[in-house]
Amino acid sequence: NKNQRSILAHKSAILQIATNAVGDIVATASTFGEVIRLWATMTGHKLCSFEKSRSTILTSLTISRTSKFIMACDKVGSINVYRIPLENIAVDSTV
């Protein structure tokens, strides 16, 4: 199906997932590991990664409306804000 894309995002189960307002970027975080990853939804290519503490268990993940930032909340009440390096990534909309 041309309207379906599978992305092998992490080696362990996905804990949080978020898309930007346009839907061309998806962010993922797994139950194990220290990264949040951003993907191009149309191609499945990894755009960038953000490091988080290995012991951090995320409760929420969201991408700002402008796609300039990603915010992650964890179980101890911390909020982490990461700047998405838009100047270094290109979201390719071709399949």
Side-chain angles (χ1 to χ4, degrees), residues 34-94:
E34 63 273 349
V35 294
I36 298 168
R37 295 186 176 130
L38 267 60
W39 307 89
T41 55
M42 293 301 291
T43 62
H45 292 117
K46 183 170 72 170
L47 302 173
C48 62
S49 298
F50 302 98
E51 291 187 27
K52 66 179 185 64
S53 169
R54 183 174 288 271
S55 60
T56 301
I57 299 174
L58 298 181
T59 57
S60 180
L61 188 65
T62 189
I63 300 173
S64 69
R65 189 165 195 70
T66 61
S67 299
K68 292 182 180 180
F69 300 97
I70 185 165
M71 288 74 63
C73 300
D74 63 33
K75 278 193 164 188
V76 297
S78 296
I79 299 171
N80 294 298
V81 179
Y82 305 90
R83 188 182 67 79
I84 298 173
L86 294 173
E87 63 278 2
N88 296 334
I89 60 175
V91 180
D92 185 6
S93 61
T94 59

Side-chain angles (χ1 to χ4, degrees), residues 10 12-17 28-32 52 56-59:
H10 299 269
S12 57
I14 300 294
L15 180 64
Q16 295 292 330
I17 190 167
T28 60
S30 70
T31 56
F32 178 79
K52 66 179 185 64
T56 301
I57 299 174
L58 298 181
T59 57

